[in-house]
Amino acid sequence: ETGVTQTPRHLVMGMTNKKSLKCEQHLGHNAMYWYKQSAKKPLELMFVYSLEERVENNSVPSRFSPECPNSSHLFLHLHTLQPEDSALYLCASSQLRGTGNTIYFGEGSWLTVV
Amino acid sequence: EDQVTQSPEALRLQEGESSSLNCSYTVSGLRGLFWYRQDPGKGPEFLFTLYSAGEEKEKERLKATLTKKESFLHITAPKPEDSATYLCAVHPQGAQKLVFGQGTRLTINP
């Protein structure tokens, strides 16, 4: 079983649809993240959850709504998206500690907004 | 502002031709520097963490080094299966996130 599992791997949705991305980590970590990866741009941090509390929200539009019901699960709820939101959405987890936190990524969910 | 710049943007090598990728960074304080490998259509795969200047880590044909301003990923006698995008990231002091560079796309021709 892989460390961080994301579903679905591919999603096509219309601009008026509502869908959700799901992430589960099997590493016993206490922090989870959503990153967005667009072509030719660095990975962009969207949200950070530490001990199930949202600790960072990088000016993400409200059409993206995260949910972290427990330390192993993370969701990204999507509604009324725009075509420019098409990207690879990566979930990650880490164990927070004093020195640099190594984060481990899932395989990503490819989102296409039509 | 914390910033990471990777060079070159793309690198094409022949099999067996050694080279280095560069990661320059500016941070207020460094808690760690990370290297990842990303294959097309997949999530980044963790390679190394470096914590202080002078530190080195090795894994198969890869060796990562760190100074106070930059990190290098040295690739010795690469094989076609080493073709991927290599990402560098820093963990700044006081932050709970990594700041990523834009990556170096490496292609190894047989």
Side-chain angles (χ1 to χ4, degrees):
Chain A
E1 198 170 50
T2 57
V4 181
T5 306
Q6 290 187 242
T7 55
R9 293 278 286 123
H10 298 271
L11 177 63
V12 179
M13 59 186 289
M15 289 191 283
T16 58
N17 291 160
K18 287 185 181 182
K19 297 283 184 183
S20 296
L21 306 181
K22 178 184 174 183
C23 176
E24 182 175 2
Q25 60 99 357
H26 310 276
L27 300 168
H29 289 162
N30 57 13
M32 295 188 79
Y33 310 77
W34 280 115
Y35 277 86
K36 176 182 178 182
Q37 189 172 39
S38 306
K40 306 217 179 223
K41 291 175 72 174
L43 280 164
E44 301 172 61
L45 178 67
M46 300 176 73
F47 302 104
V48 180
Y49 276 83
S50 171
L51 300 172
E52 300 153 43
E53 282 192 28
R54 192 191 311 178
V55 296
E56 191 142 349
N57 175 351
N58 270 15
S59 303
V60 179
S62 59
R63 57 186 183 269
F64 295 92
S65 174
E67 178 189 1
C68 187
N70 55 60
S71 61
S72 299
H73 293 86
L74 185 66
F75 295 89
L76 187 63
H77 304 299
L78 315 168
H79 64 98
T80 58
L81 295 190
Q82 304 298 312
E84 60 264 29
D85 296 322
S86 298
L88 179 65
Y89 289 85
L90 291 161
C91 175
S93 70
S94 74
Q95 184 65 23
L96 295 177
R97 55 192 188 125
T99 51
N101 304 323
T102 301
I103 68 171
Y104 295 88
F105 288 90
E107 294 286 22
S109 293
W110 281 100
L111 173 66
T112 303
V113 182
V114 297
Chain B
E1 183 186 347
D2 303 316
Q3 200 165 10
V4 177
T5 302
Q6 291 187 245
S7 60
E9 191 173 312
L11 180 62
R12 192 177 289 270
L13 301 171
Q14 289 299 119
E15 184 173 1
E17 182 184 0
S18 302
S19 188
S20 298
L21 312 183
N22 177 261
C23 171
S24 298
Y25 63 91
T26 52
V27 289
S28 50
L30 183 68
R31 289 171 65 180
L33 183 139
F34 305 84
W35 283 98
Y36 290 83
R37 169 195 170 124
Q38 187 173 24
D39 293 303
K42 295 194 171 183
E45 175 191 344
F46 169 70
L47 293 174
F48 304 109
T49 307
L50 301 167
Y51 295 106
S52 56
E55 191 175 357
E56 298 183 353
K57 293 220 174 138
E58 286 188 67
K59 181 181 179 180
E60 297 180 357
R61 294 175 292 281
L62 300 176
K63 183 167 100 172
T65 61
L66 180 65
T67 71
K68 288 188 177 179
K69 294 183 179 179
E70 58 192 349
S71 176
F72 290 94
L73 185 66
H74 306 278
I75 302 176
T76 302
K79 298 181 178 182
E81 53 262 42
D82 295 321
S83 298
T85 296
Y86 290 84
L87 302 173
C88 173
V90 296
H91 187 174
Q93 287 283 0
Q96 286 186 320
K97 64 180 182 182
L98 301 189
V99 178
F100 281 84
Q102 77 278 21
T104 293
R105 190 172 64 256
L106 177 66
T107 305
I108 309 297
N109 295 317

